[in-house]
Amino acid sequence: MSDNTFGKIFQVTTFGESHGAAIGAVVDGMPAGVEIDTDFIQRELDRRRPGAGAAGSTARKESDTAEILSGVFEGKSTGTPIAMLIRNSDQHSSDYGELKDLFRPGHADWGFHAKYGFRDHRGGGRSSGRETACRVAAGALAKLFLKSISNITISAFAAEIGGVKAIDLDMDEISRNPLRTPDAGAVPAMLKRIEECRMAQESCGGIVECRISGVPAGWGEPVFDKLDALLAHAIVSLGAVKGFSVGSGFDAARTAGSVNNSDPEAAGGIRGGISDGEKIVFRAAVKPTPSISQEQLMPGTDGQLHKFAIKGRHDVCIVPRIVPVVEAMAALVLADCALRQRCARV
Amino acid sequence: MSDNTFGKIFQVTTFGESHGAAIGAVVDGMPAGVEIDTDFIQRELDRRRPGAGAAGSTARKESDTAEILSGVFEGKSTGTPIAMLIRNSDQHSSDYGELKDLFRPGHADWGFHAKYGFRDHRGGGRSSGRETACRVAAGALAKLFLKSISNITISAFAAEIGGVKAIDLDMDEISRNPLRTPDAGAVPAMLKRIEECRMAQESCGGIVECRISGVPAGWGEPVFDKLDALLAHAIVSLGAVKGFSVGSGFDAARTAGSVNNSDPEAAGGIRGGISDGEKIVFRAAVKPTPSISQEQLMPGTDGQLHKFAIKGRHDVCIVPRIVPVVEAMAALVLADCALRQRCARV
Amino acid sequence: MSDNTFGKIFQVTTFGESHGAAIGAVVDGMPAGVEIDTDFIQRELDRRRPGAGAAGSTARKESDTAEILSGVFEGKSTGTPIAMLIRNSDQHSSDYGELKDLFRPGHADWGFHAKYGFRDHRGGGRSSGRETACRVAAGALAKLFLKSISNITISAFAAEIGGVKAIDLDMDEISRNPLRTPDAGAVPAMLKRIEECRMAQESCGGIVECRISGVPAGWGEPVFDKLDALLAHAIVSLGAVKGFSVGSGFDAARTAGSVNNSDPEAAGGIRGGISDGEKIVFRAAVKPTPSISQEQLMPGTDGQLHKFAIKGRHDVCIVPRIVPVVEAMAALVLADCALRQRCARV
Amino acid sequence: MSDNTFGKIFQVTTFGESHGAAIGAVVDGMPAGVEIDTDFIQRELDRRRPGAGAAGSTARKESDTAEILSGVFEGKSTGTPIAMLIRNSDQHSSDYGELKDLFRPGHADWGFHAKYGFRDHRGGGRSSGRETACRVAAGALAKLFLKSISNITISAFAAEIGGVKAIDLDMDEISRNPLRTPDAGAVPAMLKRIEECRMAQESCGGIVECRISGVPAGWGEPVFDKLDALLAHAIVSLGAVKGFSVGSGFDAARTAGSVNNSDPEAAGGIRGGISDGEKIVFRAAVKPTPSISQEQLMPGTDGQLHKFAIKGRHDVCIVPRIVPVVEAMAALVLADCALRQRCARV
């Protein structure tokens, strides 16, 4: 129930399985009068597309074209729901037939089976990373709305890949390299690490950082829907994310109160759950892709363990492709907060 | 709007300011027929009470007695909302008068002002940690419901305080020491660290870990309301929490895929957002209490910076007291997931 | 689940049973900065109070004093939830002991039993008309909010009692007579009808009409949350209401299109679910109070039919007392629509 | 915000404008394992289709084929959202160009303009009756779910058309005549009335009644989400409906308490908001179609009144076509109540 809808006023509902007819998103709550730049939506989708980013990406070739079905008239949002449809074109279901009765490690396979009694096993079905394309399309609408009312900029990037950290951060560098990292100097070591993984039939993870400027003080709610709580919900709802932190994050656990209080970056732009007008900074820990091509042991519906090598095309490192998804989720949270803030005062 | 309600089927709504007439919680969605052990609710509240735990706790003496106003008849839940009221008895508002025009560092003061235009400044008002008593009372109801349908046990503890880690974990030890840590051997060093902070008019933070056993496979939803996303939302909505991780957490960013896949603890009991039947483990990073008694610089409504020392009674280290609150939030999430799961299959 | 909360942005949650410790309401979503006139809230409660209105009213003497527990500071709403508590003082549970194992006709008794397996049978428990006191208190807050942003006036009245219709409508007359009817000339016949019912151990119903002026064009949503759909939901959620109509209502079924189009009152101020700037007019059909003092046949938990006369104090005609409740529900709907409208355009 | 979603657990979200690319529905909350009979969905859509029913219907020829995009695997629901797409094929936008700057009487045109500042004027845009095709498709899914768990039958019919009442009710007759009335004897007079309207460039309304058998006692919630309140919301959210009643409805206002209590049909199968196990009966008042072909006065964006004759194809009487829509809305309400009931007891 309602698992497929995110947000309270600016709401997105996504649907679709990896190897079904189509995936899509319905955005309800977009205010009327926002200019809908369809090229921008497509560019955002292109950033997430398999093969768009990096050495680490899958070879699946999907155009991922979003068709807008409703809610836009003469180039502007009408206030009614904006439905976007992305057809699945390159499905290769046959690659997955052998996995029908197996539960891949690190995936939702077993959980789906336990929850629903059966599942669309093709390519991960509803749990495929492909679902995030819908989030990116919806996030693009959120960005267009935010742009129409503010000067907010949302920049996510690979802060760490396979243990290699970005040290010298140059935000302009992010879009110049396929890894979406702001440290040009770290790129060779990161690429080397990814290549090593590929050769070893391995995968690796990393850390995505997101920096948001231009958010006015006062956004976010003071109790359950703290701005950082909403961001945590949004980011941890991405399948590969195992951790979330804001500002000083886990380091705060080891810092003295006076130091934490006076460090302008410790709060991460959010105090008591409400934006304070400073730059918002949060991080997400991304696990290594669980789909690796080496043989692994996996349980089956027969209750036995099976030795099996997953075929198909999989990212060695999902970090560069998750960067635009993180931005999209942040944009969805902020669009919702912006509208909720309109109701805060008489 | 709706910021004060958490959960979709098993829902809690909290209300009240630190120095108003009362705080309270309304739990809507408790199934009928659950035995309501009021002593248990009170014991849970007592665990969170100031002074109940540790050397690090405030001296504020509140009995924090929850009066049940509705929804219980002849010892059982009736299916209608259970309202619980906690009167504020020991308010000392005068301690806070001087803070009326100042925005304390690390607190929500400035955010409230920016959001609403003014605020109940007494003791943090709505943003006071006192609000968490309502969460604990509601969480106690959630635990009673879970107990009636399962053998779930939820055990949170101080995994680290002021940089001192618990190493040898003995779950039975948690309730024996005032720091709620499972490592008896770490207690002296932790207490020493807290005492050093107190002498230096400082505060310190730490890490709370929560382990949950007995959750059947299949709980949590596969997309936006992944079990770990709901837990992240719940835990980061606690004012002092700056980070959340599940299973291998941030370490996952530096682990190889095959290792992460085969490590039974890496998933933390949740794969693809759905419980897998294993023990659920998550962690929260707790920042040092921002209220410290040394002089600090703080901005005021006059736009100037003021040197000011906060009076009143404040925890040097909030970690032991946040332990039952973390459990309460986990129980609320699980109670909700348990009911949502009833609707998963025909 | 969530049955006890009404509204999407301006939300009220009510709790409490007729003969429990207390009833109450939590209003979440009240914008900050609204002046909270507690005398006004009390006056609204007094209008609904047993004995306040008419010859037809019960003799139960409750002061129905609402204590505000939170969300108000220095006379203004703070943006946090406003909890209001009404203690039950005059409970006479003993009157109801004999009904423990019987299901009264026309009441929710049997439904509660079927739904939850057991029930708090005292005075109707959660299903008592007493719950509407909470709606009135919350509606008073909604009215205060609406007053702070508009010149909306909401006037409900008895349009018909026991078959006697109000013909000459003078809005100023409504507050002058205990029946809350705008036709002074109809009062004697209405009172006579009520008295006849009382003598015959009978009850009677009637029709409440509500007129709302000052609502700007554009409120209400175009699809599922049409303004008239929200009003229908709100009004039919009152236990005694069996019908709802807006504008020409059931007469529309027998009118020609051109006549209906050109009649300024046919739309009732709402077209396509959105307010059109004209006066909003709707009606509610109120059934006769099911609690009558004559002997009736009623089924019991033993599966047998029992002849039984309900004791206790009951209204012969609920219509005058439901008038302020109808206004309250209308105010809650409008307050919610007002805030939703703030999100309609960029 | 969230105006386009209906239901709390079994939820439908609709999208699309009359003359946009497509309309559609996303059903979230369908339990896994329900057999999805796509032919049944199509038959339900066919019942609502223009021209399917009666003499009174429009000549617009749309196949209204629903393509299922997701949530179904090997013929069964998977527990994930079921998206259904209906392309708009026969759009004739040019018919509507002249209405761009006019606000048709009895329509949402002016409301949309006031609400959003501009509108997709083509064929009523989002407010077109065409949106109800999505409700019928979603309602078909709700019926399939209900069928899988119960023996519920939902039968709506034309109880009155243009003032001509159905007297002798034979439920088997409903599907035999184009007016969907259960009284074969009333058909000629009804058809004559419709033909008179057409000749006079007029339209007429009527009354739809809905009877539901097989609902177990205990469905519906006791306070705000009473079963009749949910039905009222659902039914009044249909553009043409001006009134709703359950059981004795407006007649209850003129009945004595003892009579109302002992009449088995007075309650309409719902007491205190909860189903009592008896047949559920409710009625909807349908206004005459506001689009008539005679010249009418209508205001324009220029602030002037214009004399204008609406072109295009419009139903003389919408009643027969609204019959399956009423059933669909009832099915959606009941599917939601069925799932909510699963959470009522421990």
Side-chain angles (χ1 to χ4, degrees):
Chain A
M1 57 156 288
S2 77
D3 170 45
N4 302 284
T5 298
F6 188 77
K8 289 199 171 164
I9 299 187
F10 192 102
Q11 297 186 306
V12 57
T13 299
T14 72
F15 62 83
E17 280 78 30
S18 175
H19 288 63
I23 59 174
V26 181
V27 171
D28 192 7
M30 170 67 99
V34 175
E35 286 193 39
I36 304 303
D37 178 346
T38 51
D39 289 342
F40 174 73
I41 299 171
Q42 195 55 51
R43 282 199 304 275
E44 290 287 284
L45 279 171
D46 290 345
R47 290 175 71 208
R48 194 213 71 95
R49 211 182 50 202
S57 172
T58 74
R60 177 166 169 168
K61 287 285 180 315
E62 298 245 355
S63 60
D64 278 358
T65 307
E67 180 192 8
I68 293 183
L69 301 174
S70 63
V72 179
F73 184 59
E74 298 180 345
K76 288 190 178 173
S77 62
T78 59
T80 64
I82 301 178
M84 297 179 290
L85 186 71
I86 303 173
R87 291 274 172 190
N88 290 326
S89 51
D90 176 27
Q91 299 173 9
H92 284 236
S93 304
S94 55
D95 286 355
Y96 295 95
E98 292 168 307
L99 282 163
K100 194 163 78 77
D101 299 314
L102 295 178
F103 306 122
R104 294 169 300 165
H107 279 286
D109 296 0
W110 159 239
F112 259 74
H113 188 81
K115 185 174 197 67
Y116 297 118
F118 81 118
R119 69 197 158 97
D120 179 351
H121 66 277
R122 302 167 300 165
R126 181 73 182 136
S127 280
S128 165
R130 183 153 175 69
E131 184 266 343
T132 60
C134 304
R135 304 188 185 207
V136 168
L141 289 177
K143 285 183 176 181
L144 289 172
F145 165 55
L146 290 170
K147 189 182 156 196
S148 76
I149 60 162
S150 69
N151 283 315
I152 291 173
T153 60
I154 303 174
S155 299
F157 55 84
E160 189 177 320
I161 283 184
V164 181
K165 292 187 188 183
I167 308 291
D168 297 316
L169 308 190
D170 171 8
M171 295 297 115
D172 293 334
E173 173 60 26
I174 299 169
S175 58
R176 288 192 206 120
N177 66 74
L179 298 173
R180 298 205 171 102
T181 185
D183 183 355
V187 171
M190 288 175 171
L191 285 175
K192 180 158 171 284
R193 182 79 193 93
I194 289 173
E195 194 52 31
E196 286 166 0
C197 284
R198 186 192 316 281
M199 299 305 291
Q201 296 183 306
E202 270 292 359
S203 62
C204 63
I207 289 175
V208 172
E209 183 168 313
C210 186
R211 300 185 175 191
I212 307 169
S213 62
V215 175
W219 287 16
E221 308 292 318
V223 182
F224 291 112
D225 286 350
K226 289 184 167 73
L227 179 49
D228 37 0
L230 295 174
L231 288 168
H233 188 151
I235 299 304
V236 181
S237 80
L238 300 172
V241 173
K242 301 300 284 182
F244 169 88
S245 68
V246 59
S248 49
F250 278 80
D251 291 342
R254 286 140 211 159
T255 314
S258 67
V259 176
N260 200 64
N261 282 353
S262 57
D263 174 1
E265 299 193 353
I270 303 171
R271 281 181 285 170
I274 304 173
S275 63
D276 61 12
E278 303 297 317
K279 187 183 293 182
I280 293 171
V281 180
F282 68 83
R283 307 190 122 211
V286 179
K287 72 173 180 179
T289 323
S291 290
I292 51 178
S293 49
Q294 59 181 268
E295 272 195 344
Q296 297 182 90
L297 279 176
M298 47 190 85
T301 51
D302 59 3
Q304 305 293 316
L305 276 178
H306 299 256
K307 203 173 250 184
F308 192 79
I310 300 170
K311 287 170 215 149
R313 300 136 302 171
H314 301 284
D315 295 309
V316 169
C317 181
I318 204 82
V319 170
R321 285 184 65 199
I322 217 175
V323 161
V325 185
V326 165
E327 288 184 6
M329 294 310 296
L332 288 167
V333 167
L334 290 172
D336 202 29
C337 288
L339 291 172
R340 290 174 80 166
Q341 179 59 9
R342 292 188 183 185
C343 302
R345 300 191 195 186
V346 70
Chain B
M1 56 156 287
S2 78
D3 171 45
N4 302 282
T5 298
F6 186 78
K8 289 198 173 166
I9 298 186
F10 192 102
Q11 296 186 305
V12 56
T13 300
T14 72
F15 62 84
E17 280 80 30
S18 175
H19 289 64
I23 58 175
V26 182
V27 171
D28 194 6
M30 170 68 99
V34 176
E35 286 192 39
I36 304 302
D37 179 345
T38 51
D39 290 343
F40 174 73
I41 299 171
Q42 194 56 50
R43 283 200 303 276
E44 289 287 286
L45 279 170
D46 290 347
R47 289 175 71 208
R48 195 214 69 96
R49 210 181 52 202
S57 171
T58 74
R60 178 166 170 170
K61 287 286 181 313
E62 298 243 354
S63 59
D64 277 358
T65 308
E67 181 191 7
I68 293 183
L69 300 174
S70 64
V72 180
F73 185 60
E74 299 180 343
K76 287 190 178 171
S77 62
T78 60
T80 64
I82 302 178
M84 296 178 290
L85 187 72
I86 303 173
R87 290 277 173 189
N88 291 326
S89 53
D90 176 27
Q91 299 171 7
H92 283 236
S93 304
S94 56
D95 286 356
Y96 295 94
E98 290 168 308
L99 281 163
K100 192 163 80 77
D101 299 314
L102 294 178
F103 306 122
R104 293 169 301 165
H107 279 286
D109 296 1
W110 160 238
F112 259 75
H113 187 81
K115 184 173 198 67
Y116 297 118
F118 80 118
R119 68 194 159 100
D120 178 350
H121 66 277
R122 301 167 302 166
R126 180 74 181 135
S127 280
S128 166
R130 185 155 174 67
E131 184 265 341
T132 59
C134 304
R135 303 188 185 207
V136 168
L141 290 176
K143 285 183 176 181
L144 289 171
F145 165 56
L146 290 171
K147 189 182 154 196
S148 76
I149 59 162
S150 69
N151 283 315
I152 291 173
T153 61
I154 305 174
S155 299
F157 55 83
E160 187 178 322
I161 284 184
V164 183
K165 291 186 186 182
I167 308 293
D168 297 317
L169 307 191
D170 171 7
M171 294 296 116
D172 293 334
E173 172 61 26
I174 299 170
S175 58
R176 288 192 206 120
N177 66 72
L179 298 174
R180 299 205 170 101
T181 186
D183 183 355
V187 171
M190 288 175 171
L191 284 174
K192 179 158 172 283
R193 182 77 193 96
I194 289 173
E195 193 52 30
E196 285 166 359
C197 284
R198 187 193 314 282
M199 297 307 289
Q201 297 183 307
E202 269 293 0
S203 62
C204 63
I207 288 176
V208 173
E209 183 168 315
C210 186
R211 299 184 176 192
I212 307 170
S213 62
V215 176
W219 288 16
E221 308 291 319
V223 182
F224 291 114
D225 288 350
K226 289 182 166 75
L227 179 48
D228 38 358
L230 295 175
L231 288 168
H233 188 150
I235 299 303
V236 182
S237 80
L238 300 172
V241 173
K242 302 299 286 181
F244 169 88
S245 67
V246 60
S248 50
F250 278 81
D251 291 344
R254 286 141 211 157
T255 313
S258 67
V259 176
N260 199 64
N261 282 353
S262 57
D263 174 1
E265 300 192 353
I270 304 170
R271 282 180 284 169
I274 303 174
S275 62
D276 60 12
E278 302 297 317
K279 188 183 290 181
I280 293 172
V281 181
F282 68 83
R283 306 190 122 212
V286 179
K287 71 175 182 178
T289 324
S291 288
I292 51 178
S293 50
Q294 62 181 265
E295 271 194 345
Q296 297 180 89
L297 278 176
M298 47 190 84
T301 50
D302 59 3
Q304 306 292 316
L305 276 178
H306 299 257
K307 202 174 251 182
F308 192 79
I310 300 169
K311 287 171 216 149
R313 300 137 301 172
H314 301 284
D315 294 310
V316 169
C317 181
I318 203 83
V319 170
R321 286 184 64 200
I322 217 174
V323 162
V325 185
V326 164
E327 287 185 6
M329 295 310 296
L332 288 166
V333 167
L334 290 172
D336 203 27
C337 289
L339 292 172
R340 292 174 79 165
Q341 179 59 10
R342 292 188 184 185
C343 303
R345 299 192 196 185
V346 70
Chain C
M1 58 156 289
S2 78
D3 171 46
N4 301 282
T5 298
F6 187 77
K8 288 198 173 163
I9 298 186
F10 192 103
Q11 296 185 307
V12 56
T13 300
T14 73
F15 61 84
E17 279 79 30
S18 176
H19 288 63
I23 57 174
V26 181
V27 171
D28 193 7
M30 169 68 100
V34 176
E35 286 194 37
I36 304 304
D37 179 345
T38 52
D39 290 344
F40 174 73
I41 299 170
Q42 195 56 50
R43 283 200 304 276
E44 290 287 285
L45 279 171
D46 290 347
R47 291 175 70 208
R48 195 213 69 97
R49 210 181 52 202
S57 172
T58 74
R60 177 165 170 171
K61 288 285 181 312
E62 297 244 356
S63 58
D64 278 358
T65 307
E67 180 192 7
I68 293 183
L69 300 175
S70 64
V72 180
F73 185 59
E74 299 181 343
K76 288 190 178 171
S77 62
T78 59
T80 64
I82 301 178
M84 295 179 292
L85 187 72
I86 303 174
R87 290 276 172 190
N88 290 327
S89 52
D90 177 26
Q91 301 172 6
H92 284 235
S93 304
S94 55
D95 286 358
Y96 295 95
E98 292 168 307
L99 283 164
K100 191 164 80 78
D101 299 313
L102 295 177
F103 306 122
R104 294 167 300 164
H107 279 286
D109 297 0
W110 160 238
F112 260 74
H113 188 80
K115 185 174 196 68
Y116 297 118
F118 81 118
R119 68 196 160 99
D120 178 351
H121 66 277
R122 301 167 301 165
R126 180 74 182 135
S127 280
S128 166
R130 185 154 174 67
E131 183 266 341
T132 60
C134 304
R135 304 188 185 208
V136 168
L141 289 178
K143 285 184 176 181
L144 290 172
F145 164 56
L146 289 170
K147 190 182 154 197
S148 75
I149 59 162
S150 70
N151 283 316
I152 291 173
T153 61
I154 304 172
S155 297
F157 55 84
E160 188 177 320
I161 283 183
V164 182
K165 292 187 187 184
I167 307 293
D168 297 317
L169 307 189
D170 171 6
M171 294 296 115
D172 293 335
E173 174 61 26
I174 299 169
S175 59
R176 287 192 206 120
N177 66 73
L179 298 173
R180 299 209 168 97
T181 185
D183 183 354
V187 170
M190 286 175 173
L191 284 175
K192 180 159 171 286
R193 183 76 194 97
I194 289 174
E195 194 51 31
E196 286 167 359
C197 284
R198 187 193 315 281
M199 298 305 290
Q201 296 183 304
E202 269 292 1
S203 63
C204 64
I207 290 176
V208 173
E209 182 168 314
C210 185
R211 300 185 175 193
I212 306 169
S213 63
V215 175
W219 288 16
E221 307 293 319
V223 182
F224 292 112
D225 287 350
K226 288 184 166 73
L227 180 48
D228 37 0
L230 294 176
L231 288 167
H233 188 151
I235 299 304
V236 181
S237 79
L238 300 172
V241 172
K242 301 300 285 181
F244 169 88
S245 68
V246 60
S248 50
F250 278 80
D251 291 344
R254 287 139 211 161
T255 314
S258 67
V259 176
N260 199 64
N261 282 352
S262 57
D263 174 359
E265 299 192 354
I270 303 171
R271 281 181 283 169
I274 303 174
S275 63
D276 62 11
E278 302 298 316
K279 187 184 293 183
I280 293 170
V281 181
F282 67 84
R283 306 190 123 211
V286 179
K287 72 174 180 178
T289 323
S291 288
I292 52 178
S293 49
Q294 60 181 265
E295 272 193 344
Q296 297 181 89
L297 278 176
M298 46 191 85
T301 50
D302 59 4
Q304 306 293 316
L305 275 179
H306 299 257
K307 202 173 251 182
F308 193 79
I310 300 171
K311 288 170 216 151
R313 300 136 303 173
H314 301 283
D315 294 310
V316 169
C317 181
I318 203 84
V319 171
R321 284 184 64 200
I322 216 174
V323 161
V325 185
V326 165
E327 288 185 6
M329 294 310 295
L332 287 168
V333 167
L334 290 172
D336 202 29
C337 288
L339 292 173
R340 290 174 80 165
Q341 180 59 10
R342 291 188 183 185
C343 303
R345 299 191 195 186
V346 70
Chain D
M1 55 156 289
S2 76
D3 171 44
N4 302 284
T5 298
F6 187 77
K8 289 198 172 167
I9 298 186
F10 192 102
Q11 297 185 306
V12 57
T13 299
T14 73
F15 62 83
E17 279 78 31
S18 176
H19 287 64
I23 58 173
V26 182
V27 171
D28 193 7
M30 169 68 99
V34 176
E35 286 192 39
I36 303 304
D37 178 345
T38 52
D39 289 343
F40 175 74
I41 299 170
Q42 195 55 49
R43 283 199 303 276
E44 289 288 285
L45 279 170
D46 289 346
R47 291 175 70 209
R48 194 213 70 95
R49 211 182 51 202
S57 172
T58 73
R60 177 167 170 169
K61 287 285 182 313
E62 298 243 354
S63 59
D64 278 357
T65 308
E67 179 191 8
I68 294 183
L69 301 174
S70 63
V72 179
F73 183 60
E74 298 180 345
K76 289 191 177 172
S77 62
T78 59
T80 64
I82 302 177
M84 296 178 291
L85 187 71
I86 303 173
R87 291 275 172 190
N88 291 325
S89 53
D90 177 28
Q91 300 175 6
H92 284 236
S93 304
S94 56
D95 285 357
Y96 294 96
E98 291 168 307
L99 282 164
K100 192 164 79 81
D101 300 314
L102 295 177
F103 306 122
R104 293 168 301 163
H107 278 286
D109 296 0
W110 159 237
F112 259 74
H113 187 82
K115 185 172 198 68
Y116 297 118
F118 81 118
R119 68 196 160 98
D120 177 350
H121 67 277
R122 301 167 302 165
R126 180 75 182 134
S127 281
S128 165
R130 183 153 175 69
E131 183 267 341
T132 60
C134 304
R135 303 187 186 209
V136 168
L141 289 178
K143 285 183 176 181
L144 289 172
F145 165 56
L146 289 170
K147 190 182 155 199
S148 75
I149 59 162
S150 70
N151 283 315
I152 291 173
T153 60
I154 304 173
S155 298
F157 55 83
E160 188 178 320
I161 284 184
V164 182
K165 293 187 187 183
I167 307 292
D168 297 317
L169 307 190
D170 170 8
M171 293 298 115
D172 293 334
E173 173 60 27
I174 299 170
S175 58
R176 288 192 206 120
N177 67 74
L179 298 174
R180 300 207 168 99
T181 186
D183 184 354
V187 170
M190 288 175 172
L191 285 174
K192 178 157 172 285
R193 182 77 193 95
I194 288 172
E195 194 52 30
E196 286 167 0
C197 284
R198 187 194 315 281
M199 299 306 291
Q201 296 184 306
E202 270 292 0
S203 62
C204 64
I207 289 176
V208 173
E209 184 168 313
C210 186
R211 300 184 175 193
I212 307 169
S213 62
V215 175
W219 288 16
E221 308 292 318
V223 181
F224 291 113
D225 287 350
K226 288 183 167 76
L227 179 49
D228 38 359
L230 295 175
L231 288 167
H233 188 150
I235 299 304
V236 181
S237 80
L238 300 172
V241 173
K242 302 300 284 183
F244 169 89
S245 68
V246 60
S248 49
F250 277 81
D251 291 343
R254 286 138 212 160
T255 314
S258 67
V259 177
N260 199 65
N261 282 352
S262 57
D263 175 0
E265 298 192 354
I270 303 171
R271 281 181 283 169
I274 303 173
S275 62
D276 61 12
E278 302 296 318
K279 189 183 291 182
I280 293 172
V281 181
F282 68 84
R283 307 190 121 213
V286 179
K287 70 174 182 180
T289 323
S291 288
I292 51 179
S293 51
Q294 62 181 265
E295 271 195 344
Q296 298 181 90
L297 278 175
M298 46 190 85
T301 50
D302 60 3
Q304 306 292 316
L305 277 177
H306 299 256
K307 202 174 252 182
F308 192 80
I310 300 170
K311 285 171 220 151
R313 300 135 302 170
H314 302 283
D315 294 309
V316 170
C317 180
I318 203 84
V319 170
R321 284 184 65 200
I322 215 174
V323 161
V325 185
V326 165
E327 288 185 6
M329 294 310 295
L332 288 167
V333 167
L334 290 172
D336 203 27
C337 288
L339 292 173
R340 290 174 80 165
Q341 180 59 11
R342 293 189 182 184
C343 303
R345 300 191 195 186
V346 68

